[in-house]
Amino acid sequence: MDVVLLIIEALKFIFPAYCANATPVLAGGGTKMDFGKNFTDGKRIFGNNKTWRGFFFGWAVGFMVGIAEGFIFGFDNYPLLFSALIPLGALLGDLTGAFIKRRLNIVPGGLLPIVDQIDFVVGAVVFALPLALISWQGLSWPVIAVVLLLTPPIHLLTNFIAYKLKLKKHPW
């Protein structure tokens, strides 16, 4: 496959996850997903930055982006189930990263290199795997590899922009 086409396919695949992951920064706030509770180790489960409003708005935006891709590129290429699963996986992957960071005593918003940049991508890929195993052709090892290579610099750039726009407290 041509490298440019591979990059385009990778970005099309991951775009709903990117949107789902970015939306809570804009729409977050409200009730904390862990309700302020601690895990068995005495540390917060997720922290103050993970809210139900951010989660549901993130999923809704990612879902709508996936549906738009279905309309644009065909629902055979981007089925409705893809639209639902990719943003859900991204958000659950991000929550998993937050959970790990709390266990490592990293404060909400604190930096955990690599995990911060790819936790949501790993979640999206894991949730896409059942589709790929059934019949969906939108996911392949080359697409996954390109997404994993492209996401860290894209993530750092978008976070820096959000920081400059005063939407985030840290540039990472």
Side-chain angles (χ1 to χ4, degrees):
M1 179 182 280
D2 184 344
V3 173
V4 173
L5 289 177
L6 180 59
I7 291 170
I8 290 169
E9 288 305 311
L11 291 174
K12 285 178 8 187
F13 162 75
I14 203 63
F15 192 60
Y18 281 0
C19 294
N21 189 59
T23 298
V25 172
L26 303 171
T31 305
K32 311 299 180 232
M33 289 192 78
D34 63 9
F35 301 104
K37 302 288 183 191
N38 293 343
F39 193 59
T40 57
D41 60 6
K43 301 170 189 170
R44 282 288 295 277
I45 298 170
F46 301 122
N48 288 335
N49 294 342
K50 304 302 177 195
T51 67
W52 288 105
R53 180 176 21 186
F55 185 89
F56 286 118
F57 270 98
W59 180 82
V61 168
F63 181 65
M64 288 185 287
V65 168
I67 288 174
E69 286 187 339
F71 278 113
I72 295 167
F73 304 113
F75 285 101
D76 287 343
N77 296 321
Y78 294 90
L80 192 59
L81 195 53
F82 164 85
S83 303
L85 291 178
I86 298 302
L88 180 61
L91 293 164
L92 292 175
D94 184 60
L95 280 176
T96 302
F99 180 81
I100 292 167
K101 287 169 67 172
R102 298 303 83 77
R103 309 290 70 75
L104 297 173
N105 292 320
I106 299 171
V107 298
L111 181 63
L112 182 55
I114 300 175
V115 170
D116 283 331
Q117 288 76 45
I118 65 166
D119 54 3
F120 73 99
V121 169
V122 171
V125 168
V126 166
F127 273 59
L129 285 176
L131 288 172
L133 293 174
I134 294 169
S135 66
W136 184 55
Q137 301 300 312
L139 186 63
S140 65
W141 290 113
V143 165
I144 293 169
V146 169
V147 166
L148 289 172
L149 288 171
L150 290 179
T151 297
I154 290 171
H155 189 266
L156 290 169
L157 176 64
T158 56
N159 279 349
F160 181 74
I161 291 168
Y163 170 75
K164 286 296 191 180
L165 294 173
K166 303 202 184 305
L167 297 173
K168 292 191 76 160
K169 293 179 184 175
H170 305 285
W172 54 81

